[in-house]
């Protein structure tokens, strides 16, 4: 079984089986971002708005997403984003995914610089047991 929370976040990692249970044991908050319905930038930002529980005043652009992910008043010190359907999203929308991953990885690096942790977990289907 993977223990991603035993070490510092390292890019986008494969989510372990039962990530919420493992995260709770490490005092990591988990937010689920469902990328399954995202087909353009607007629907992608809506997925983050919903998953992060943001208000409608969220700017819905790359800078606003970065700001939310790096603002210590907006998020816990130890946060994991569970990117549901990430592999499928990456294949369907390579250009949009490239922008998204750039923002997520920049936010992860900034979190590390300020002593916080941001795990980026790509969720695998429960039927795929190779990552357990």
């Amino acid at each position: 079984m993977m223990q991603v929370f035993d070490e510092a976040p390292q890019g986008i990692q494969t989510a372990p089986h039962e990530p919420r249970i493992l995260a709770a044991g490490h005092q990591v908050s988990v937010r689920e971002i469902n990328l399954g319905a995202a087909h353009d930038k607007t629907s992608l930002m809506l997925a983050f708005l919903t998953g992060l529980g943001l208000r409608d005043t969220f700017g819905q652009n790359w800078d606003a997403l970065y700001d939310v992910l790096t603002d210590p008043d907006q998020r816990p010190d130890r946060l994991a984003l569970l990117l549901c359907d990430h592999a499928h999203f990456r294949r369907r929308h390579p250009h949009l995914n490239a922008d998204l991953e750039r923002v997520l990885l920049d936010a992860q690096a900034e979190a590390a610089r300020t002593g916080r942790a941001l795990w980026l977990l790509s969720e695998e289907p429960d039927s795929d047991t190779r990552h357990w």
Side-chain angles (χ1 to χ4, degrees):
M1 181 190 314
M2 292 177 49
Q3 296 294 337
V4 297
F5 302 117
D6 285 342
E7 298 183 17
Q10 303 171 2
I12 298 175
Q13 300 168 273
T14 301
H17 183 64
E18 301 294 341
R20 286 173 186 74
I21 293 171
L22 292 175
H26 288 85
Q27 298 180 327
V28 175
S29 297
V30 177
R31 301 292 185 272
E32 185 174 310
I33 311 299
N34 185 352
L35 302 176
H39 57 275
D40 59 15
K41 187 175 175 183
T42 300
S43 57
L44 177 61
M45 291 298 155
L46 182 58
F48 276 90
L49 179 120
T50 303
L52 294 172
L54 302 173
R55 293 185 220 109
D56 290 337
T57 58
F58 171 58
Q60 298 191 20
N61 59 54
W62 299 123
D63 290 338
L65 179 59
Y66 176 86
D67 290 346
V68 165
L69 294 175
T70 58
D71 183 350
D73 295 330
Q74 294 281 332
R75 61 172 220 96
D77 287 344
R78 296 172 56 82
L79 175 66
L81 296 183
L82 185 59
L83 305 172
C84 302
D85 203 20
H86 181 241
H88 191 231
F89 175 80
R90 183 184 306 147
R91 283 190 305 275
R92 282 188 333 240
H93 306 289
H95 297 294
L96 189 56
N97 183 68
D99 290 338
L100 173 62
E101 288 188 9
R102 178 186 46 79
V103 170
L104 294 176
L105 294 171
D106 287 351
Q108 186 180 63
E110 177 61 21
R113 278 192 291 278
T114 59
R116 295 185 332 275
L118 174 62
W119 283 271
L120 305 169
L121 304 177
S122 179
E123 185 183 51
E124 299 292 328
D126 283 339
S127 59
D128 180 4
T129 58
R130 290 175 294 163
H131 65 285
W132 291 4

